[in-house]
Amino acid sequence: ALREGAPATLQAWLPRLQGAVGVENELAPERACEALQEALDRLLIANEGLRYSHEALAEARRRQAAVEEAERAAFQAAVADWRRCSGPVVIEREP
């Protein structure tokens, strides 16, 4: 049901996930807690008990920061190249 009814941005992430859990906190808070705990238990079994460590998360953040910096540098280089070739942009507004 989630694959069909989810927004495209969420659907793009689904193949990368172990699973998804929807919980109803307002009408059934007890069941929501149980559903979340059951999903976490299934996740731990699927990962053979392995959990993310602080080191793994810090490394993932470092890798993401490096990717973002490379993208920023590439964008700045592209803008600089564009400015050398085209000159300044003049924006004319209609009255």
Side-chain angles (χ1 to χ4, degrees):
L2 182 59
R3 290 190 189 277
E4 295 82 32
T9 51
L10 178 57
Q11 287 182 6
W13 276 94
L14 291 176
R16 301 168 67 182
L17 304 175
Q18 284 280 347
V21 178
V23 294
E24 173 53 71
N25 280 326
E26 195 160 318
L27 299 177
E30 304 82 20
R31 181 63 195 130
C33 185
E34 292 171 15
L36 186 57
Q37 187 60 53
E38 289 168 4
L40 290 172
D41 291 342
R42 287 191 307 272
L43 177 65
L44 285 173
I45 290 168
N47 286 342
E48 298 176 346
L50 298 176
R51 297 175 182 234
Y52 287 110
S53 66
H54 292 295
E55 295 81 18
L57 293 172
E59 177 59 28
R61 287 186 186 108
R62 280 192 291 276
R63 286 194 314 267
Q64 182 60 32
V67 167
E68 289 173 357
E69 182 57 35
E71 288 175 352
R72 191 174 8 262
F75 178 76
Q76 289 174 346
V79 169
D81 185 50
W82 174 79
R83 286 182 176 157
R84 279 192 299 275
C85 297
S86 303
V89 173
V90 177
I91 299 174
E92 296 180 11
R93 296 182 189 251
E94 294 181 6

